[in-house]
Structure formats: C-alpha cells, structure tokens
Amino acid sequence: MDDLNVLAVLAGVLAGASPIVLATMGETITEKAGLINLSLDGTILLAAMVAFLVAHDAGSLGLGFLAAALVGAGIAAVVGIAGVYMGQSQVAVGFVLTLMCRDLAYFLGNPYSRIQGPRLAPLPVPGLERLPLLGSLLFRHSLLVYLSVAVIATTWWYLYRTRWGLELRAVGENPQAAHARGIDPKRLQLLHALLGGALVGLAGGAFSLGIKPGWGRPQGAEGMGWIALAIVIFGGWHPLKVALGAYLFAFLQVLGIPLQSWWPSVPAQVFQVAPFPLMILALLLLGLTQKDTLQRWADAHPRVRKLLRSIQGRAPRALGRPYRQE
Amino acid sequence: MVAAIVLVFISAILVLAGAPVLEVHGLLVTGAVGSWSKLAQVLRVWVPLTLCSCGLLYTFQIGLWNIGVEGQVMLGAIGATAVLRLGFDSALPGAVLGAALVVGMLGGALWALLAGLLKTWGGVNEIFAGLGLNFVAQGLILWLIFGPWRRPGVASMSGTEPFAESLWFPTPAVWRISPHALGLTLVALAATALVLRHTRLGLALRAVGGNPSASYLFGLKPGRLMLWAMGLAGALAGLAGTLQVTVVYHRLIPAISSNYGYLALLVVMLADYRLSWVPFIAFFFAALNVGSIQLPLVLQLDSSLSGVIQGALVLTVLLIHAWNSGKAGTRWTT
Amino acid sequence: MDLELRDIHKHYGTVHANRGIHMRVASGTIHGILGENGAGKSTLMKVLSGYAARTSGDIFLDGRAVDTTTPAQANRLGIGMLYQDPLDFPSLTVLDNFSLGRPNRGGGLNRRALAEELTRLCRDFDFDLEPERSLEQLTVGERQQLELLRLLSLEVKLLILDEPTTGISTPQKEKLFGALRRLAAAGMTLLLVSHKLEDIESLCHAVTVLRQGRVSGEMTAPFQLDELVNLMFGTIPAPPPRGAVASGEPVLLLHEATAGGDRAGLGNCTVSVRRGQVVGLAGLEGSGQGVFLRLAAGLAKPVRGSLTVLGTQLKPGDHHGFRDAGVVFVPTARLDEGLVGSLTIAEHCALTEPHPSFRIDWQGAANTAAQRIARFRIQGSADTPAALLSGGNQQRLLLSLMPARPRLLLLEQPTRGLDLEPARWIWAQLRALCADAATIVFSSAELDEIMAFADRVLVFYNGSLVRDLDTRDSDLDDLARAIAGK
C-alpha cells in the first residue's frame, strides 16, 4: 500500500513538473547563448491562453500547442531583437513584456474564462504500462510528460554533443572570441532566443491543456515563470541539474498538499506562496557558496570543495551583455 | 509617434477581441475624467503610484531593479494596520494615525532592506529577492486576514474588520479625496526632488549607479549606498501602503497593493527615470486604470486592457530609444 | 604565401592607430613586427586577421588583392591569428575549444575524429594536451599551444602571433619557437608581433619597426640591436640635471610580496620607496606594474609577503583605509575605473569635495569646476558629462580631482594619450606636489617620460622586478633592453 503511495507521488511529480521542465529547458538554452529572457511569466500565461483558445476553437490539441510555441517564440523575438540587435536592456524589455503579456492574456482570454475545453488524455505506452511498479510510474502519462523528459535529454545532447550547441555555449561565454572564429554571435543568440521561447510557449500550453486545464483569471500558472527563471540559476545553467531542480520543486509542491490538510485553518492561498521563500532560500544558499570566506575554508577541505563545485554553476560569462563588434 | 503606434496596436488588439474600438476608447476617457468623482478616483490611484515611483527613482539611480515595491507597499499596509488595531480605543486618534504612518514606512523600508541585504550580503539578484518577497508579503496578508486578524464570525477575502471612523484620514465630502494623502504625496515629490538634485546622497547614488569602481575610488561605499536607496524606496512604498489602509480601504484587504508597485516600475521607465515626468505619467496611468473599470460593466471586456496599453507604451518607448541611440552611436551609459 | 600591405589606415573613433603602413613579407619567412606599447602593432594585426575592419588601404596575398573584413573571411584565405589575450573559451574543454570555428557547416560534430586529430597534432609537436580537460586548468602557454594546433588543423598559410611569449614559461617558449621554425621551413609565412628584442633576435629573418602608428624602419637579420632600440623608442633624451634622490623615511615597503592580477601577476617583490621620491615603473604593459600600484593602493591583497604603507600596516584590500591615510590612486582606465561617464565635471567636483556637506552647493561646485577647467586646461564646461570629453581631457579631469596634499601618490600611466606640452605641464604640477614632501610612484609605457621625470626607475619584466636604478646614472640602452627582456 505504501509502495503504491510513493509511486503515485512520484508519478505526480513527473507529471506536475512537465511545464516547468519545458520552460526551464527553454530558458537554459536562451541564457546559455548569453541572452536573458525575463518575460517568462507573461509568456507562459499568454501562451497558455492562446493554446486553450486555439485548441477549443479548432478542436485540435496539436494546433493549440503549435500556437503556444509560436507565441513564445514571438515574444522571445521581441526580447532578442531589442536586446541583441538594438542594444536595449534585456531586463527592462523582458520585464515590460512580462506585465504586458499577462494583461493581454487576461484581456483576450476573458470570453474563454471557465469554460470546458479539450485537455490532454493519458497515453499509456502499450506493453510497457503493464510493467510492475515502473508501469504506473513512467508509462501511463500524457504525451506531454514523455515529451518533457525527451526535451531534457535533447537539450543536453544539443548543448554538449552538437556543433550548434558548442557554438551556442561559446557565444554565451565569449562572443568576441566566437566572432573571431567566424561565428555570428547576434544571429545565433536570436535563433536560440526563438527556440528557447518556443519551449517556454509549450510550457504555457502544458498548463492550460495539461495539468491546470482551462483558462481563467487567475489561471493558476501565475508566478511559475519566475520560479522557472530561478530554477535555471539554481541548476547552474546545466540542463540536467536544472531539470533536477524542476523535479525537486514539483516534489515539494506535491508534498505541500498533505501539509495543507494538517492546518485547515490556514487558507490555501498561503500555501501557494510557499515556493517563493523556497526560491529565495535556494538562491541565498547558492550566493553564500560564492563568499570569499567559505571559498577559502573549502579550499582547505577537498571534499567540501568538491561538493561546492558540484553545487555551483557559473553563469555564462557574457549573460545579459549585448555583443558589439570592434 | 509613440501615441500613434500604441493606438494602432491597441485598436488591432480590440479588433482581435471583437470589441467596438471607438466605444472602448471613449469609455476609457469618460470613465477616467468624465466627472469630478471619477477624477477624484484617479487621484486616489495617483497617490500610491506616485509615491512608489518616487521611491523607485532612488533605486534606479544606483542601478538596482527594485521589483519588490509591491511587497513593500503590503508591508507598509500591514504595519499601519497593526498600529491602528492596537490603538483602536485610544483617546488620541491623531497620534495613532501618526504612529501608523511611521510604522508603515518603517515596515516598507525593512522589507526593502531585506531584499537589499539579500543582494549585498547574500549575493541574491535583487529581482528574484524582491519578487519572492512580494509573494511572501501576499501570503503574510492572507494569513493575517484569515488568521490572527480575521473578522469576528467569518473570515473572508473582504479583509479585516474596518477601523473606527476616528482612525480614518478625513475625506471631505466635496473633495472625495483625502487632502492628507495629496499633501503627503506632494511632500514626497518635493523631498525626492531635493534629495536627488541637491544632496550628496542623491549624487552618490548616481555615481555608484554610473560606475561602482570609480565611486569606490572616490571614497564612496557602494554596498551601503545600495541599502540606503532600498530603504528610502521601501519607506515611500510603505507610505503608499499606509495610505491605502488609512485613506482608501480603512481595513486590510488581500489586494491592498493593487499591483501599483509593478505599475510604478512602468511609470518610471516611461518617465525615462526623470522625476519631473513622474507625476504626469503616474496621472495618465492612474486614469487608464480607473477608466478601464467601466469595461467589464459596460462591454463585458476585461479591465486588464489598461495594463496592455501601459505595457505597450513603455515597450514602444524602449524600442524607439534603442533605435535612436543605436543610430546616433552615442550609448555610453549601461 | 607572400603578403603585401599598402597604405593601411585604421581609426578608432578619434584615435588614428595606423597611419599609412606599407609592408612586404616573403613566403616561408618569420617576420617580426616590433614597437613599444601603442605603436599600432596589434591594431595592424587585427586588421589583417579580419577582427577589426580597416579604414582604408589594400592587402595583397600572393599578389592578389583580398578583403579581410571578418575573421571567417580571413580564415578562408588561409590567415590565422594567435591573439595576445587568448581569444578562447575558458569554461569549455580543450576539445571543445579545438572544435570551435571549423568552416564545414551543419550541426554534426564528429568528436572522435576531432579528438584523434588533436592527439596526432599534439604528438607531432610534442605538446601535452588532454582533450577532456577544462581550459581553466591550463596555463597560458598551454592555451596558446592549443590555439596554435587549432590554426594548423585549419591549414592556415599565414600565421600571425601577437606577443606569444608573454606569460609563458621558458621551456614552453623553447617548444613554441621550435615549432615556429619548423613551420617556416615548411613554407608557412609567420608574422611575430613583439616588444621583446630577444624573441625577434632568436627567431626572425626580417623585422619592421612601428612607432606611433607609422613604419619607423626595417631591417634583416642579423639585427643591430642598438639601432632597433632607437627605431622603437626614438632618441631617448638625457635626463635633465636634478638633485640627489630624496632619502626621507620609507613610505612604501614591500617585502617578498606576491599577488595575482594582469597577465603575469607580481612575484616576490621587495622594494622600499622613501618620502619625496618620484619613482617610475617601466616595463611592457601587464608586466607587474599594475599589480604593484594596486597593492600599494590597498586595492589588491598580497597572497604572500608583507606591505607597509606610510609607516603602518594598513589592512590590505581596504582602499578607503589607505585613502584616509593619504594614499591617492589614479587609474589609467579612465571611464572604467576613474570617472563616472554620466556625471558632469561639476558633479565630479561636488563628489570629491574634501569637506562635504549633506546639501550640495551647486554654485560652489560650478565655481570649483570652472577653476579646475581653467587650471588644468580642460576642453569642456562645468556641465559636460565626463564621457563626452576626449581621452586627454578625461585624464586632466581625473588629475584635477586628486585630493590636495596627498602623502603617497600612485599614478597609472598619468600622461597616456596626452601630447608633449600638456604632459610636461602636468608633470610640473606633480613635481610641485613632491616638493611638498609627497611621494609619487607612477607607471608609464614611455621610457622618455620616466627618464625625464622620475628620480628612480623600477623595471618590471614578466611579473618580476628586474632592475632598480637611479635615473641619473642609468644607461638608457641597458634600460631599454631590460624592458625588452634582454
């Protein structure tokens, strides 16, 4: 009986994390190229709304997700063009887009509030679903969950095993040197902003067509974009560590559900903010590991140093700074 | 030109939403300035928006993204409510209100300092620290409203028990807006102008914002100045929160900050970080907010249209700025 | 591949870095480009390698006019460049760095084939580079070896090396030189940019000397070293007659101080500077002078050794403590470290007011600014932002902001970018300070300046203090050679 519970929880984590995984992978790709797309929170909401609207009107989930990806890429294009080609502050543009896209989603989505619409159904993998334990854990999910896992692996493979991924990391690290080797840093940054943005858009669709089906104000995905941005930092810009962070976050969320029943007098909304102090705490721990005193202490203790090294990830060196040719 | 671009953009969105374009624009105008009571309502929004924007000028001067204004407003409101609840049967309501102002500003300042310390000491980017603390502040308010400060009988989203009328800042019937709130806002505007333009602190903030390492060589302490900027911004946001409680709602409600903190960031960006434009842009944004209240009632449209217009305006200006400076090739500030 | 440059000009904003360069290099030779800091060598090479676009002029390869406006284009033409500051990616692995920037398109990456090629090249040249190591764990010399192998694997025919021996060990240098001789013998054309006579002497077949953006002379091996020094530095004027070196109490004492920074850091430096002295720090840029000044200013901490300033052991790294004790530091990177670009001259004056009040007296600040503008002959007005001033005027503003009556004045290249007359004038002001018992330590790229204004010269080479002489009885050629590591 206990086994089943643990399995159910873990299966829930796997499913619940899928949108966050998509969003964090998208942002990891974008930031690895040296560009910050701060508009995640608004992008996710607008994409969620559009996905639901399109899926509802066209009666096609596929079209819904396609529309969500296009919305994500479109918003990322604004950040990319303004930030990379025009040299405007990426943070400023991203922040304005965050607020604007959220309001745009509420405004345009108003007629679709609280109506029934299509949602992803579980798609058990024939054969594999019957496996003991693993079957219910891994193989009775919706297509989206399989996709999210595949995206993690693909992102890792793309970044570390392909030539484009290598060039992308190089540009995020040292665009001048990349230019000296015949790579066009700006073009590459824009392209990966689009790719990352499309994944963030899919995350929006994953909310409104998947784990928080439907549209409304609030949708329930509010704040998730910010969490995703923080998880990318927490995961040290490495796709596997970032994914781990996303699953850890989903796990804590699932854990929070029984917690609520223990304090029935505390309103559910209070629990909804729990991820945010957690986010600050995680970033604080990360920040403290960079402190001089700790570093020096760790240098004297090889094991601690190794642990610290594994936690620490370094931001792409050129992150947020537009490249200018000499 | 900005206005034209945004007008076209908004009209396109309205067409997309299947809304009557002209009617919406008309409604936004009459809803905001159509009558004295509407205008008073705009001023009631203008007060917290201007206060928050003034505060943000300090943090922007030193190059910090104080996204946590929203939470600082809430902590101001919480501080003020705490004082008013303690002093509910005081014989000196004036003193209680005064104390509420002080504690409210202190609450906002401390909340901002927390984000500032997370940045200067803990290495947490101020955007994430501030944003996280916003959500925490929201949780705190909800917990207070449903927990220790709940209404006798039934706790609800409508907030805490209203205060006795003696603990309100008075609003003359003909005015429909508290002269105290207006006065304090004007004082804050004047004080901010004075500090930024005529004091060493204002100059030091700009110096550090422009070049931290040069400022350090001039003997300035960038970390400490950042905390000063955060503290001042938080105090002004806290004042806004206090006024929301003592002037507008007379109780603590979940939406006490009404997103004015986020909106103030847009105001300051549109004002190009210049104080002289802040009161006017804040007024315009306040008018949009108030005007859009009519939309759901009359046309069944969501009131968030105001947010879309505001965002589109700021985005357009940012892009035009970048375009111009890119052409002129004179960008030397970061 | 034969190379010919005709009338190359390059402007950076108002700076005219190359002023009509003509040059010919024959195939299969190693050709040296010699000159002191700021002579225009690096700029010329960047133009050739496509990293910076030239303003005007023509480039011919094997008699054919070519265009190198991007590095990719230059690569296709067979031009490769080893940059002075390695243009690589420290957080990536050796193999990643080796693989980046190959002309074949497509998303694929045959890591195994690339690793094999790298290993083969390593074996060929007797270099020891592990493909999967992170570049951060490599020395500068090893990073350079990697970059060299990468360029060879791209089959370049013209190889440019910009100051390849700065910051690398002697065995690494031997290996590098061996490899370069082999490549030249195999028909490759090599351009060696250096300020080091010893490198030029042991490697090059011919040399072109640049001075102030122009070709000042050419020579083929065997070289007349004295003549080369002359071409590089111009005629060095004999120092003006001067009294004995002051010998007050020591104000700056370093004992076996070691610190990181720049390219070479500073190793094991022991020196004592006495009150009233004017000390010039000579050496190629990044040889340790910058670290020396930052240590003395309390901006850097020694990892080993001790530092005593003005008779007390101030807390290392606490610049404000040093400042309060009377130490003033004026950096060379004006807009990066020295001035706030967005603030006006008057605002800078208000900011550095010695007895500040909380409320700023803008009228007073404007008056101060006007006085300083007049005294320091700054081209600008009180409300001109620092960023809009020219480099020379920024330097004057920076000097005008110095607190009155400093006890120890640390200046990094104080007259960089200034013409002769203004530089003399600034030095008159500075020496007047010294008569007031202040001590001055300054670095300079120009030996003339040090000879003319310092009582004593410290020569740095590759992170070490190699000469400590009284300027009155020092042999100029000896100094010039010490700077060039000879």
Side-chain angles (χ1 to χ4, degrees), chain A residues 160-164 166-171 173-183 187 292 296 314 317 323 325-326, chain C residues 12 46 51 71-72 75 83 87-92 96-97 99-109 111 136 147 150:
Chain A
Y160 294 101
R161 285 293 174 269
T162 68
R163 170 203 176 87
W164 289 331
L166 179 58
E167 291 184 351
L168 149 87
R169 286 184 291 138
V171 166
E173 207 56 42
N174 189 348
Q176 275 76 19
H179 170 67
R181 294 189 184 194
I183 298 165
R187 194 174 134 243
D292 269 7
R296 240 172 292 144
R314 225 191 16 218
R317 213 165 286 183
Y323 165 71
Q325 194 183 341
E326 217 175 279
Chain C
Y12 283 112
K46 282 181 181 172
Y51 187 78
N75 268 336
Y83 292 87
L87 265 180
D88 53 15
F89 309 90
S91 66
L92 307 186
D96 284 345
N97 271 280
S99 317
L100 266 165
R102 306 196 150 256
N104 66 316
R105 285 284 118 204
L109 192 65
R111 288 174 63 84
E136 270 158 348
E147 188 61 6
R150 187 182 74 82

Side-chain angles (χ1 to χ4, degrees), chain B residues 276-298:
Chain B
S276 47
W277 294 7
V278 160
F280 306 103
I281 290 172
F283 183 85
F284 177 53
F285 275 25
L288 279 171
N289 264 24
V290 171
S292 68
I293 295 174
Q294 298 292 321
L295 293 176
L297 304 177
V298 182

Side-chain angles (χ1 to χ4, degrees), chain B residues 197-198 200 206 216-217, chain C residues 320 323 347 358 360 362:
Chain B
R197 282 181 207 157
H198 294 286
R200 209 175 145 70
R206 260 187 300 152
Y216 178 73
L217 287 183
Chain C
H320 288 173
R323 198 181 145 87
E347 284 169 331
F358 186 68
I360 292 177
W362 283 120

